[in-house]
């Protein structure tokens, strides 16, 4: 089996850190050049019988999202075509207006969306995350919400399990 997974989120939430952690040594290929007409392949990871292809998705970067919101068009809603799963990364500290803009795009996906709440290592008392988690759970119907620390690698294996279950 092979699945395409888009990692999306506003700048600085930890997307690159997460991808580096997931791909690590097991990185099969990386390329800065678009490999398909629609998506740029960032890396491939093989897990048991599943091959997960992480892609960068045009139309889901903040500048593009802002432009798209100004000129709502078909291309915009097509941004996630061909993707099997979206991993939407946010920071555990605060849901921002920019997260909200990305959310509007992600809501148009016809595939499951997993929310990764990153930087949990910055929290002393883990129960303080609960109000944030209940707030974000009302934003849309996420397939899963997974708190992680991409930097420390906390719970990233859990996120990978969830990803593998959808591809
Ligand atoms: P991107 O713009 O979404 O790709 O974010 P980056 O991966 O470049 O990370 C942005 C900043 O957040 C960098 O300084 C990272 O070191 C930091 N960062 C990323 N993940 C974590 C995390 O899990 N915990 C902490 N404390 N910092 C993180
Ligand atoms: Mg990055």
């Amino acid at each position: 089996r092979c699945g395409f997974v888009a990692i999306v989120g506003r700048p600085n939430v930890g997307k690159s850190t997460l991808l580096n952690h997931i791909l690590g040594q097991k990185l099969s290929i990386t390329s800065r050049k678009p490999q398909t007409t629609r998506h740029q392949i960032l890396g491939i990871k093989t897990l048991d019988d599943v091959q997960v292809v992480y892609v960068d998705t045009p139309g889901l970067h903040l500048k593009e999202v802002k432009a798209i919101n100004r000129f709502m068009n078909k291309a915009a809603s097509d941004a996630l075509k061909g993707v099997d799963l979206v991993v939407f990364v946010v920071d555990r500290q605060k849901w921002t207006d920019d997260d909200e803009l990305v959310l509007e795009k992600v809501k148009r996906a016809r595939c499951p969306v997993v929310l990764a709440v990153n930087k949990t290592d910055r929290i002393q008392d883990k129960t303080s995350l609960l109000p944030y988690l209940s707030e974000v759970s009302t934003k849309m119907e996420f397939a899963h919400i997974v708190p992680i620390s991409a930097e420390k690698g906390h719970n990233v294996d859990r996120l990978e399990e969830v990803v593998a279950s959808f591809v």
Side-chain angles (χ1 to χ4, degrees), residues 21-41:
H21 188 90
I22 289 175
L23 297 173
Q25 300 296 319
K26 290 184 177 158
L27 182 62
S28 299
I29 68 158
T30 48
S31 174
R32 295 183 179 282
K33 288 183 205 136
Q35 298 293 311
T36 66
T37 50
R38 202 178 286 275
H39 301 291
Q40 179 188 3
I41 296 176

Side-chain angles (χ1 to χ4, degrees), residues 54-70:
Y54 289 92
V55 300
D56 193 10
T57 304
L60 278 163
H61 295 277
L62 205 51
K63 276 182 189 162
E64 293 163 333
V65 165
K66 284 177 173 169
I68 284 163
N69 283 1
R70 254 181 283 130

